[in-house]
Each structure stands twice: as structure tokens, then as C-alpha cells.
Amino acid sequence: MSLRIVVAVKYVPDATGDRHFAEDLTTDRDAVDGLLSELDEYAVEQALQIAEEADDAEITVLTVGPEDAKDALRKALSMGADQAVHVEDDALHGTDALGTSLVLAKAIEHTGYDLVVCGMASTDGTMGVLPAMLAERLGVPQVTLLSEVKVEDGKVTGRRDGDAASEQLEAQLPAVVSVTDQSGEARYPSFKGIMAAKKKKVESLDLSDLGIEEDEVGLAGAWTKVDSAAERPARTAGTIVTDEGEGGKQLAAFLAEQKFI
Amino acid sequence: MTIDHRLPAEYEELRRTVEQFAHDVIAPKIGEFYEHHEFPYEIVREMGRMGLFGLPFPEEYGGMGGDYFALCLALEELARVDSSVAITLEAGVSLGAMPIFRFGTEEQKREWLPRLCSGELLGAFGLTEPDCGSDAGGTRTTARLDEATNEWVINGTKCFITNSGTDITGLVTVTAVTGRSADGRPEISSIIVPSGTQGFTVAAPYSKVGWNASDTRELSFADCRVPAANLLGEISRGYAQFLRILDEGRIAISALATGLAQGCVDESVSYAKTRQAFGRPIGANQAIQFKLADMEMRTHTARLAWRDAASRLLHGEPFKKEAALAKLYSSEIAVTNAREATQIHGGYGFMNEYPVARFWRDSKILEIGEGTSEVQRMLIARELGLTA
């Protein structure tokens, strides 16, 4: 039977753009171009590699987001994913991570899965909690923050690199994994991939398709609330160390003071 | 009926992908290769991996199922960042693989195209000789068919041949005189010579003014023997073949020149916004603003010119004049933009570590290669019905 892989991806504002919050303190999506979160590209790449190794695999790429989020799906399809699922509903505006994990979990169950692959975090919210929330909601094992991942004999194995040690982990499928930016550079879509992506199926779902009530998601259903947001203050001038024989020591003292060493 | 100059969505996506690739992969590394006159194998491998060498070829030969327009879009985006890798792609596809695709037998296509499309091998086209460039009819290299062994015996020298001496060069298609017509004019044919064939010598790389991370060599053939089956297309059709290849190639060079001109705008606008003089950014001065406005205008116009020629080619319409116009205009404005970009950068523009210095060195050849500006004017005048 074919290995069913679902990659959960996020459409985020371009991190190189000038990003702002809207009046209700949600992300202002109109002010800056959006794209497939770069950290999720690693997840798509690992899913593609797992599928290439498997005899028979099918990759579904899934996102929850506004109309424009289709761009993120199209990018993943161009890279080689087989089909896409887009959950879009006006009531989703302002949904927090808990709410998003509910929608993703329902959509993943709707699609059917053996393995869910996520990036390590989004490049906008950067919370990195979704893989764990998803595993909990789906009731399956989680193997997170992998820099190497493999699927063999109904198991997923991988390596998680910490500061002090590397762990070799393993879980029975079905499972949820997340991969880091050390897992291997994502491929660039080829023109053939871009052309093929046009013909691939993108399924659109809304909350009622997934049996989710409006008050479980959105700003009203959020468990976390943003009270205020302030622009980061402009960068200050910095400290100039002039070397008069003691430069090295001064640098070390500065780094120690900033708790870098 | 709709008239729309904008790119279809999938072409725009290709353009953006190559733009991203050039920014992420080429820009951080190319200066080092250029400085040391090294061929950037790792970058070329990545270009192969994303299918750039297969862009205009059908999938059955390992291609991407795109077209010449798609190739030109990729060339423009590469050249915005660096011309050495752009010319490596241009020569590899337009001069290396395209003649085999257009004129080759099914067997030749199956043998060469999949590896050329993947970037595993590079192809080259040996036309120019020490004593004949624009006057390609003056070819001196000869190929004699040895009927005893059924082999071509090639003798002669080719010069300025791009991609001919890399570790991954697989073949050079060589033009050679294979006979004389009744009125004594040379008949030229194209012959595939695989790299490493005995009697085929590749000289050390030239020391060039620009394009320093690309591979350009002189080739010599001394009783070099290849099977008779290596003839590309029909005998004595070499002249017509390379005229077609050069007409197309002009559009590709035009796209590349447009990219260089755009790179000059990109770098200069960002420099003009940040470089301070007399208490304000130099971009606040009208002298600089007008330079930049003119640079942008020229680049935009050049882009329209190559896209027009390429779309005629795609639709099977005559495009000779439009290709010559595009090549002539874009190469001349590339030189102008590079000069202005260097000027805007002041002393830094003369430092090799600044991209605009590279652009300046890389621009001049665009007025020379694939038909000089004078040859383009000759062609255009001829298309206007003027004769010498």
C-alpha cells in the first residue's frame, strides 16, 4: 500500500520585506508579499526524498490560510508534491496555534496519512509548537526537530542534534515529524515541475467540511491573545573597541557581558 | 481578443525561481571563482539539477518541455547576477545541445541530449577560426571522408570556443569544409567530435578581459578521426545550419545582455540610496537620478526587444531582423549601463569585488560575440532591402 505523506506548510509574509501588524494585531498580509515559509521548504524536500526512496508514495501538501496561500501550495507542487489541500474560511482570521492545530488535524484525518512532515517552525510566528500539538490531537507519536529522517519497514527514524548530544529516534507509523534547516537544502522547482503543478489537484475545504464550529477558531476562539505590539526600536550605534594592546580582552569582556561566552 | 505583454503565470514562476537561485546560490560565491578564473562546477551542477540545461527541449530527451523563451528568461535572470554562468548555459544549450536537437539523427539525439539536458555534460560549437569570425564562409578547417575506414579526418584550428575544455565537456560540434561546389565555393558540414578523441587537442584557457568564470579555449585538430556517422544533419548543410543557430543565439545573447543591464540598475539604485556624500544619499542628486532613469529605460526597452524576437521565433514567424535588432540594441546598452554603473560607484566601481566592476568587464564581449554590432547592422540593412 502506498505511503501517504502529508506535509503541513504555512504561507508567510516575506521575511525580507517590511512586516507590520494590522489594527487588530494580526499579521498585515496586504503590506508585504507572501511565500511558502522557507523552513517548510525543508519539510517538502524531506518528504520528496522519503517518497523517492519508497516504492510507492503520495505526498499531499496542506495549508490553512487565505486565498493567496495557494501560492505556497503551488510552490510545493512545483517542487514535486502530488496534490494539495487548502483550508480557507473567513472565520479563520486571527486563529492561534491551538486553533490552527485543530484545523490541520481535522484536514489530515480527512486526507488520510501515514506520516505528517512539518518544518521546525514558521518564519513569522516562530513558535515551533504545531508538530507537537498535531501529534497530540492525532494521537500518534511525535519525532521532532530532526536533521536526518528516514522511513523503513513501517517506522520513521531520525537524528536530532542537540547542543551536547545527538539522539537517534524512532517511531512506529503513523507519526508526526518535524525537520530542521540542517536536514538538507530544498530543491528549486524545475520548469517541468512548474508546468506539471498546474495540472495537479488542489482540494479546497472550509470549516463546515471539517466539522469545525466557527467559535473554536478565529480571534474569538483563540486561547492566546496579543495585547499590544510595538515596532522594534531602531538599531543603536554599537560599541567600538579600539585596540591599544588590550583589544582582545575588551572584546571578550563585551561578549561575556552580553552572555555570548 | 486580448493583447497582453505580460508573462504567463508559469513563465513568471520560472523567472522568479531563477532569480531566487541566482541571488541565493550564485551571488555569494561567484566573485571568488571569477577572481581566480575558475570554472564554477558546483554552481553549474546546481543549474543542471534544476533543469536549466534542458529548458527548451522535449521531455523525451530529458528536457523540461519548455521553449526558447523560457531559456531566455533564465539567461536574463542569471546575467543579472553573473554573465559567466549565463554564457555557460547559453553556449551549452543554444550552441552545444540545440544543433544536435535540430539537425541530429534520432540516434545522435538519444546518445547526447539526456546528458546535455541534465547538465552532466556540456556541449560546445566550434565555428570561429583564427582567420575567420564574422566571415564564416572563410572556414579553413577541413574534414575528409576516409572511405577505407568510414571515418572523417579533421584538420584545422578553432578559437574562442566556449565550454570546450571543462572536465564535463562531452562534445564539440565542429564546422569544416567537406567539399567544393561546382563554382569552387567551399561546402561546409557540421561534425560531432567527442571530447578526448585522438588528434583533438584543447589548449589552455585564454586570459580574458571578462567572463572569467567561464571556459573558453582554442581547439586544434590534427588528423582527428571520428566515425562517418558523426556527421550532424545533411552533408554540405553546415552553413545553413549555423546561420539558423546564430539567429536564435542572438536572442539568447540579447536576453543575457538585458540581464547585465538590469544588474547594473539593481546595484546602482541600491548604492545610490545608501552612499552618502555632502550629507545626503547620492541618489538625491538629479544627476544620479537621471542616469538611473536612463539606465532603467534602456533595460526595459532591451527586454521588450528580445521578448518580441523570441515570441516571433516561438510562433514560427520570421525573426532574423528582430533578433539582430534586439542583439544590437541590448549589447550596446549593456556596455552603456555598465559604464554608468561604474561611474555611479566611483572608486568602488573600479574594485573587482564590486559586481559592477565585473559587469563592466563582462559587457564589452556582448558587442562582439554571436555577430559583432557591425554584422548586426549589416543584417538589418539587408532586411531593409539595401545591398552593398
Side-chain angles (χ1 to χ4, degrees):
Chain A
M1 196 181 125
S2 107
L3 177 71
R4 294 166 303 169
I5 306 173
V6 178
V7 188
V9 301
K10 189 173 183 185
Y11 177 75
V12 298
D14 187 345
T16 60
D18 193 12
R19 295 175 294 175
H20 295 284
F21 290 104
E23 260 176 43
D24 62 0
L25 298 178
T26 59
T27 311
D28 180 358
R29 291 182 180 273
D30 296 330
V32 57
D33 286 341
L35 42 75
L36 170 62
S37 170
E38 285 167 8
L39 289 171
D40 292 341
E41 287 186 14
Y42 294 96
V44 176
E45 176 63 35
Q46 288 310 309
L48 290 168
Q49 290 188 20
I50 290 167
E52 282 160 6
E53 286 291 314
D55 288 338
D56 182 18
E58 186 176 62
I59 301 175
T60 303
V61 50
L62 162 68
T63 197
V64 176
E67 168 69 22
D68 293 347
K70 280 207 170 57
D71 285 355
L73 296 176
R74 206 167 296 123
K75 170 90 183 269
L77 292 173
S78 305
M79 288 169 72
D82 299 293
Q83 56 184 13
V85 174
H86 182 193
V87 185
E88 184 191 0
D89 198 307
D90 289 344
L92 284 166
H93 176 77
T95 305
D96 66 356
L98 267 173
T100 305
S101 71
L102 171 70
V103 181
L104 285 174
K106 293 277 188 193
I108 290 166
E109 280 168 344
H110 166 91
T111 307
Y113 70 103
D114 299 300
L115 177 69
V116 178
V117 186
C118 305
M120 61 193 282
S122 62
T123 55
D124 56 351
T126 52
M127 292 174 70
V129 294
L130 258 165
M133 288 177 171
L134 269 181
E136 194 61 29
R137 289 203 186 267
L138 295 168
V140 300
Q142 51 169 305
V143 191
T144 54
L145 299 173
L146 301 180
S147 45
E148 208 176 82
V149 59
K150 232 185 208 155
V151 171
E152 264 171 348
D153 309 325
K155 282 183 302 200
V156 57
T157 57
R159 198 183 74 237
R160 179 195 290 152
D161 296 321
D163 284 342
S166 287
E167 297 167 278
Q168 196 65 37
L169 302 160
E170 175 183 306
Q172 206 67 39
L173 294 182
V176 174
V177 302
S178 73
V179 299
T180 71
D181 54 354
Q182 301 302 306
S183 56
E185 288 300 318
R187 67 195 64 187
Y188 289 86
S190 69
F191 193 60
K192 189 162 77 177
I194 292 169
M195 299 293 277
K198 281 197 309 182
K199 299 186 199 103
K200 291 177 178 170
K201 189 176 117 194
V202 180
E203 185 182 9
S204 285
L205 300 173
D206 60 18
L207 290 177
S208 65
D209 294 324
L210 297 174
I212 298 171
E213 297 299 326
E214 287 194 5
D215 60 5
E216 293 179 87
V217 294
L219 272 178
W223 286 59
T224 49
K225 186 168 178 294
V226 180
D227 284 330
S228 66
E231 298 252 337
R232 182 165 56 189
R235 202 173 283 187
T236 52
T239 309
I240 294 173
V241 175
T242 312
D243 183 22
E244 287 163 349
E246 296 283 303
K249 281 185 187 162
Q250 284 172 279
L251 274 179
F254 174 80
L255 290 172
E257 191 186 320
Q258 303 290 323
K259 301 203 183 339
F260 283 117
I261 53 174
Chain B
M1 183 185 140
T2 55
I3 296 177
D4 195 344
H5 272 78
R6 290 168 306 178
L7 293 178
E10 56 273 27
Y11 285 76
E12 173 57 21
E13 212 174 315
L14 169 72
R15 191 200 64 71
R16 271 205 316 231
T17 304
V18 182
E19 178 183 30
Q20 191 76 45
F21 172 80
H23 176 268
D24 293 350
V25 178
I26 301 174
K29 292 181 184 161
I30 196 65
E32 193 75 11
F33 287 108
Y34 196 92
E35 187 74 16
H36 295 106
H37 295 217
E38 277 174 30
F39 188 79
Y41 288 103
E42 58 181 90
I43 294 175
V44 171
R45 198 177 311 122
E46 287 297 310
M47 286 160 59
R49 193 175 165 218
M50 67 188 284
L52 296 187
F53 287 92
L55 268 177
F57 303 112
E59 291 181 32
E60 57 174 315
Y61 298 117
M64 289 292 122
D67 50 41
Y68 213 83
F69 200 107
L71 169 69
C72 290
L73 275 179
L75 288 171
E76 186 186 326
E77 286 304 326
L78 293 177
R80 258 175 93 177
V81 170
D82 178 66
S83 290
S84 293
V85 294
I87 195 60
T88 300
L89 176 66
E90 196 277 337
V93 174
S94 169
L95 303 178
M98 194 56 91
I100 293 183
F101 174 65
R102 286 221 187 280
F103 312 116
T105 61
E106 191 58 30
E107 207 179 339
Q108 287 167 339
K109 289 189 221 180
R110 299 238 168 257
E111 181 181 356
W112 294 108
L113 287 178
R115 286 178 294 167
L116 292 172
C117 285
S118 70
E120 183 189 338
L121 291 183
L122 284 175
F125 190 61
L127 170 66
T128 303
E129 298 189 357
D131 300 317
C132 100
S134 301
D135 175 20
T139 300
R140 289 195 185 171
T141 297
T142 59
R144 175 178 62 81
L145 189 64
D146 179 344
E147 286 175 3
T149 59
N150 206 26
E151 286 173 326
W152 292 106
V153 185
I154 306 169
N155 281 287
T157 307
K158 297 287 178 182
C159 63
F160 313 140
I161 310 303
T162 307
N163 286 350
S164 59
T166 71
D167 296 348
I168 53 172
T169 300
L171 70 104
V172 180
T173 300
V174 179
T175 52
V177 178
T178 45
R180 299 263 160 197
S181 63
D183 59 2
R185 288 202 314 197
E187 288 177 346
I188 295 171
S189 306
S190 307
I191 297 169
I192 300 171
V193 182
S195 297
T197 304
Q198 208 177 358
F200 166 29
T201 314
V202 181
Y206 289 101
S207 168
K208 293 173 291 193
V209 169
W211 282 1
N212 284 327
S214 78
D215 180 79
T216 319
R217 314 265 185 155
E218 183 173 285
L219 314 178
S220 56
F221 301 88
D223 287 334
C224 171
R225 289 173 171 267
V226 296
N230 282 24
L231 177 73
L232 186 62
E234 290 170 53
I235 186 124
S236 307
R237 293 289 297 159
Y239 194 73
Q241 287 171 359
F242 67 66
L243 285 187
R244 165 77 198 210
I245 292 298
L246 290 183
D247 278 344
E248 288 177 356
R250 282 179 190 129
I251 307 176
I253 293 294
S254 177
L256 197 155
T258 304
L260 186 144
Q262 181 67 54
C264 291
V265 176
D266 299 342
E267 293 293 328
S268 300
V269 167
S270 109
Y271 187 78
K273 283 178 179 169
T274 52
R275 168 70 180 186
Q276 301 275 327
F278 305 107
R280 59 182 189 170
I282 60 169
N285 301 320
Q286 207 175 49
I288 302 291
Q289 289 180 356
F290 280 13
K291 264 192 210 300
L292 289 167
D294 287 350
M295 287 165 70
E296 173 75 2
M297 168 188 71
R298 288 188 286 259
T299 308
H300 182 73
T301 311
R303 180 173 300 123
L304 294 178
W306 81 247
R307 287 188 180 181
D308 173 57
S311 87
R312 285 169 194 273
L313 164 68
L314 246 53
H315 289 98
E317 294 167 15
F319 64 92
K320 200 186 219 346
K321 184 178 78 179
E322 288 75 12
L325 287 168
K327 198 277 182 181
L328 173 61
Y329 181 73
S330 57
S331 59
E332 294 196 341
I333 69 110
V335 173
T336 308
N337 274 17
R339 191 180 63 240
E340 295 286 47
T342 307
Q343 191 67 24
I344 290 168
H345 278 70
Y348 292 109
F350 202 59
M351 297 299 118
N352 278 330
E353 69 185 277
Y354 278 75
V356 291
R358 199 154 29 86
F359 296 159
W360 188 62
R361 293 170 64 175
D362 290 343
S363 63
K364 181 60 206 175
I365 185 61
L366 297 168
E367 293 181 321
I368 299 170
E370 304 244 357
T372 59
S373 289
E374 291 72 19
V375 163
Q376 308 305 329
R377 288 189 166 87
M378 236 166 68
L379 288 170
I380 296 164
R382 204 177 289 158
E383 292 287 321
L384 293 173
L386 303 165
T387 50

